[in-house]
Amino acid sequence: MIGIFDSGVGGLTVVKEIKKILPEAPILYFGDTARLPYGNKSRETIQKYSVEIIDFLRAKNCKTIVIACNSASALAADYVRKKNPDLKIYDVVSAGAEAVVDTTWNKKVAVIGTSATISSGVYKEKIAALDPEIEIFVKACPLFVPLVEEDWIVRPETKKVARVYLKELKLQKVDTLLLGCTHYPLLEKVIASVMGKRTKVIASGEKLAQKLKKEMLCFEKKEDMYYASDITEHFAKLARGILGKSVRIEKIELNKD
Ligand code: DGL
């Protein structure tokens, strides 16, 4: 089983990419909807939540873990890897950095994400480690997550917010812009239209799925399972919108203390 987690529903954008490339792979998804957002929380809190979730996924027999949340990948991936040396743990930040390096042609790139992800500096670090010649511009776009949560995907207000956030990045003439937050692929069209034709807008899900495909040779056949720490009709609707079908989501409380 591949255990995939996110702070909420956004990680399903990563599940969707994995299912495109590895339709047979059995998925166990956990969305920490009761404690969302992670993007404005401290490193310590995000590490604590990530440890709890990985303990849950381990108890469910997941040997491979995908951290589909950029904020958790940025602030907790190394921490949880050290604590769980027997598990194979993939994270969207490493995959996203590789996707940027593969895509850029003029070596001027941008990464947008939550405040936690951007202020961690981890994207700059990982991209520079892969190619020190790449110039990297970053921007935290904290309003994008609540806009997606409100389903304000095709609204003039959202486009206005995008114009404000992306103005500087556009002026830098970046050729690649990475959506460094699981919610942002839902705003891909509006972000791409603001950035214009000369910028390729990419997400990390596809690269992560390719990495999984390379390294995972066989799967036991099992039914996919979806869990969340809180379930609302809104969450179920967003999940349907992302996956293009309804899935049964079970509620599970991780910290019963
Ligand atoms: N999943 C988070 C991320 O990718 C976005 C939502 C949140 O702030 O929890 O950074």
Side-chain angles (χ1 to χ4, degrees):
M1 228 45 204
I2 305 177
I4 304 180
F5 76 92
D6 179 38
S7 57
V9 73
L12 292 175
T13 56
V14 178
V15 170
K16 192 177 164 192
E17 292 303 324
I18 292 175
K19 284 284 173 190
K20 265 192 218 159
I21 294 184
L22 289 167
E24 297 291 305
I27 299 291
L28 192 155
Y29 184 83
F30 177 79
D32 201 2
T33 41
R35 302 189 289 196
L36 174 121
Y38 280 15
N40 55 12
K41 294 203 166 63
S42 67
R43 178 182 295 271
E44 204 185 16
T45 299
I46 295 175
Q47 285 178 344
K48 177 177 171 283
Y49 292 173
S50 303
V51 167
E52 287 172 3
I53 296 167
I54 289 180
D55 285 350
F56 164 70
L57 297 174
R58 175 193 282 285
K60 291 278 180 193
N61 220 13
C62 298
K63 304 273 189 297
T64 300
I65 308 286
V66 172
I67 309 179
C69 174
N70 280 264
S71 306
S73 295
L75 297 169
D78 291 341
Y79 183 76
V80 293
R81 275 192 193 105
K82 267 191 209 129
K83 276 189 168 288
N84 299 277
D86 58 320
L87 299 178
K88 180 85 190 148
I89 301 180
Y90 294 83
D91 72 274
V92 278
V93 168
S94 305
E98 285 176 37
V100 162
V101 174
D102 289 351
T103 310
T104 184
W105 61 94
N106 72 11
K107 293 194 190 272
K108 273 186 124 180
V109 306
V111 180
I112 57 173
T114 63
S115 305
T117 300
I118 295 304
S119 61
S120 74
V122 72
Y123 267 112
K124 280 193 167 176
E125 227 171 80
K126 293 213 183 245
I127 294 169
L130 294 170
D131 185 343
E133 283 179 14
I134 294 181
E135 219 180 324
I136 310 149
F137 302 89
V138 295
K139 178 80 184 168
C141 305
L143 289 174
F144 280 169
V145 169
L147 285 168
V148 169
E149 289 288 320
E150 276 305 310
D151 211 5
W152 279 32
I153 310 277
V154 271
R155 295 276 294 230
E157 293 86 349
T158 305
K159 192 153 189 174
K160 263 190 202 160
V161 172
R163 278 203 195 99
V164 174
Y165 278 149
L166 303 174
K167 192 173 169 210
E168 288 299 313
L169 304 178
K170 204 175 161 166
L171 287 175
Q172 296 300 337
K173 297 198 167 48
V174 295
D175 67 24
T176 304
L177 180 140
L178 176 73
L179 304 171
C181 171
T182 47
H183 279 61
Y184 298 0
L186 294 156
L187 296 176
E188 184 172 350
K189 274 194 188 142
V190 65
I191 292 169
S193 80
V194 170
M195 290 305 290
K197 287 204 180 81
R198 277 181 299 190
T199 303
K200 193 161 164 52
V201 176
I202 60 169
S204 47
E206 191 183 338
K207 186 76 192 177
L208 196 137
Q210 286 164 354
K211 279 167 72 119
L212 268 177
K213 187 174 180 183
K214 246 192 218 161
E215 289 170 33
M216 296 195 74
L217 300 175
C218 58
F219 306 106
E220 21 162 12
K221 253 202 168 336
K222 272 196 177 159
E223 213 188 304
D224 294 340
M225 291 161 93
Y226 296 87
Y227 295 90
S229 48
D230 190 24
I231 301 174
T232 58
E233 181 41 43
H234 182 61
F235 172 72
K237 187 179 161 225
L238 275 174
R240 237 182 351 259
I242 296 171
L243 294 173
K245 61 173 186 184
S246 296
V247 291
R248 201 172 66 85
I249 306 162
E250 212 174 295
K251 182 170 168 176
I252 184 106
E253 274 174 60
L254 295 187
N255 55 338
K256 291 200 179 113
D257 45 295

